[in-house]
């Protein structure tokens, strides 16, 4: 690997910057699909997607030799579940194993914490992510809360540990 993983605080500036890039990317991918939403749906969806710092178990960055952040992922506790959240790999770092390394780090941390599985929520407009999750051993599951009402077409997965 020509990068290494770092565990960082959820408010690490590099992590915050990568989450901003992810938000912009997801907004572009889903803007047209969400255009016909009823009033208030965008706000409800934003609340369902919100990750509060108190829920975050771990935040990982993939970092290049020169210190450049290449990717980001978080592990959060969602009630009794362990959920992979906010995975992003920068465009210049794709196809280098960054996404897989970050996914494996979340799974390993969840296993250390006693998780029986790791779950995640994604969507049809993210084919690269879907391919990564399947390659990493995740299998489809029904949409789960808090996404049922605001994103019933979500594609959700689990990796049983």
């Amino acid at each position: 690997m020509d990068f290494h993983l770092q565990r960082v605080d959820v408010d690490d500036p590099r992590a915050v910057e990568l989450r901003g890039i992810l938000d912009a990317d997801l907004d572009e991918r889903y803007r047209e699909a969400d255009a016909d939403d009823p009033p208030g749906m965008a706000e409800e969806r934003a609340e369902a997607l919100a990750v509060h710092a108190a829920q975050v178990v771990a935040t990982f960055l993939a970092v290049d030799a020169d210190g450049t952040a290449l990717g980001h992922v978080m592990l959060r506790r969602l009630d009794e579940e362990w959920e992979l959240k906010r995975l992003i790999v920068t465009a210049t770092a794709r196809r280098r194993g960054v996404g897989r390394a970050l996914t494996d780090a979340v799974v390993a941390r969840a296993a250390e914490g006693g998780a029986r599985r790791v779950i995640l929520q994604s969507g049809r407009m993210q084919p690269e992510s879907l391919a990564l999750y399947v390659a990493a051993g995740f299998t489809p599951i029904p949409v789960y809360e808090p996404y049922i009402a605001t994103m019933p077409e979500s594609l959700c997965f689990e990796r049983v540990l």
Side-chain angles (χ1 to χ4, degrees), residues 12-64:
D12 180 289
R14 299 166 298 172
V16 172
E17 180 180 1
L18 286 175
R19 290 194 300 268
I21 293 168
L22 177 61
D23 288 341
D25 178 63
L26 293 174
D27 180 61
E28 185 170 319
R29 288 177 190 238
Y30 288 95
R31 184 178 307 126
E32 190 172 307
D34 296 341
D36 295 330
D37 282 350
M41 181 61 76
E43 293 79 11
E44 290 177 35
R45 184 178 297 114
E47 180 56 35
L49 290 168
V51 177
H52 305 286
Q55 299 172 312
V56 176
V57 175
T59 303
F60 295 97
L61 293 179
V63 180
D64 223 339

Side-chain angles (χ1 to χ4, degrees), residues 5 58 60 73 75 99-112:
L5 299 185
F60 295 97
V73 71
L75 175 64
R100 183 60 182 265
L102 290 165
T103 300
D104 289 347
V106 160
V107 169
R109 175 59 189 91
E112 289 170 13

Side-chain angles (χ1 to χ4, degrees), residues 118-140:
V118 175
I119 60 174
L120 64 89
Q121 175 269 340
S122 191
R124 70 187 186 287
M125 306 299 267
Q126 298 163 256
E128 318 88 346
S129 298
L130 299 174
L132 169 66
Y133 300 140
V134 170
F138 284 81
T139 56

